[in-house]
Amino acid sequence: MPDREPSAEPAVTPGMEREETPSLIAAGKVHGTPVYSRAGEALGTVEDLMLDKRSGRVAYAVMSFGGFLGIGERYHPLPWSVLDYDPARGGYVVDLDRDRLHGAPAYDAGSAPDWGGGDWGRQVDDYWGARSIWGAGLP
Amino acid sequence: MPDREPSAEPAVTPGMEREETPSLIAAGKVHGTPVYSRAGEALGTVEDLMLDKRSGRVAYAVMSFGGFLGIGERYHPLPWSVLDYDPARGGYVVDLDRDRLHGAPAYDAGSAPDWGGGDWGRQVDDYWGARSIWGAGLP
């Protein structure tokens, strides 16, 4: 959709002044983008993206939820497909409420998951009802 | 391919200790990754990634070539598909030599291209012989 996106913030990287267009966005600009629930609650911010090397697709957005639940900073990987960008809010919108968030796969700082075998990724995809990237034949 | 990737460097982000696995890599870790020619010349480093919002794919890696050609720092967007990761070198390998690099679409710091209309992106894709993301129907 030719949505009008918010204009680029001041560039942090020389030469990257046009970090966002209607169809492209710089990965470096996604960092720190807020995430909202459909109801408009600010849930956290995007910490980093996990890329699937084979397909070149963004597989997960890792969001930090900075202790607003009173349980310290936690990291929630969300399948990229569950995030919708909302130009009006200047952030991503996901279908989750706090209950769903509580039950979602997450980890604390200092205890990162083992993505290697695919089991953890499948658990994430299953939870969010996302089409899994961890098909047959992947390690 | 189940290539053995280099082990993760010290994490810069808490909770992101496992930034790379055989199949996934954190976008934040791609920043600064060296790019080599097939002959092994160090050509530059990845400055940022441009993501296609619609498909969720990495569209371009923007590489900075830090003045080693004597023309100051320049930014070359390369279609993601032309980069191969080489675990032995710990960097990406592209089919380019300096002549090809000289002629490639690029811009200087402070004069970022206009990705908006797709013309510039098509020019990049054409140059590198990459399948274009700027098909019919895109703005």
Side-chain angles (χ1 to χ4, degrees), chain B residues 4-123:
Chain B
R4 193 160 294 275
E5 305 290 342
S7 61
E9 291 159 14
V12 290
T13 303
M16 297 300 292
E17 289 80 0
R18 298 293 286 270
E19 288 184 313
E20 187 169 9
T21 75
S23 50
L24 296 178
I25 187 166
K29 191 166 189 235
V30 176
H31 174 83
T33 301
V35 180
Y36 300 99
S37 69
R38 296 268 173 223
E41 291 170 298
L43 298 171
T45 59
V46 177
E47 189 65 35
D48 209 341
L49 302 174
M50 299 299 287
L51 309 175
D52 180 349
K53 292 181 188 176
R54 287 171 187 74
S55 69
R57 280 184 192 273
V58 179
Y60 303 99
V62 178
M63 275 181 292
S64 59
F65 292 76
F68 73 102
L69 294 171
I71 49 171
E73 186 154 59
R74 285 174 69 72
Y75 297 93
H76 289 68
L78 300 183
W80 184 244
S81 57
V82 308
L83 280 79
D84 292 325
Y85 188 76
D86 180 347
R89 286 187 179 127
Y92 295 99
V93 173
V94 292
D95 269 323
L96 63 77
D97 56 27
R98 294 192 176 192
D99 282 350
R100 200 168 175 207
L101 188 61
H102 260 114
Y107 52 94
D108 299 313
S111 61
D114 181 4
W115 291 99
D119 288 348
W120 207 76
R122 272 184 285 267
Q123 194 181 323

Side-chain angles (χ1 to χ4, degrees), chain A residues 53-135:
Chain A
K53 292 180 187 177
R54 288 171 186 76
S55 68
R57 281 184 191 274
V58 179
Y60 303 98
V62 179
M63 277 180 291
S64 59
F65 291 76
F68 75 102
L69 294 172
I71 49 171
E73 186 154 58
R74 285 174 69 71
Y75 297 93
H76 289 70
L78 300 183
W80 185 244
S81 57
V82 307
L83 280 78
D84 292 325
Y85 188 75
D86 181 346
R89 286 186 178 129
Y92 296 98
V93 174
V94 292
D95 268 323
L96 63 78
D97 56 26
R98 295 192 175 191
D99 282 349
R100 199 167 176 208
L101 187 62
H102 259 115
Y107 52 94
D108 298 313
S111 61
D114 181 5
W115 290 98
D119 288 347
W120 206 76
R122 271 184 286 267
Q123 194 182 324
V124 171
D125 297 339
D126 284 352
Y127 187 85
W128 293 102
R131 194 176 155 200
S132 186
I133 64 165
W134 305 95

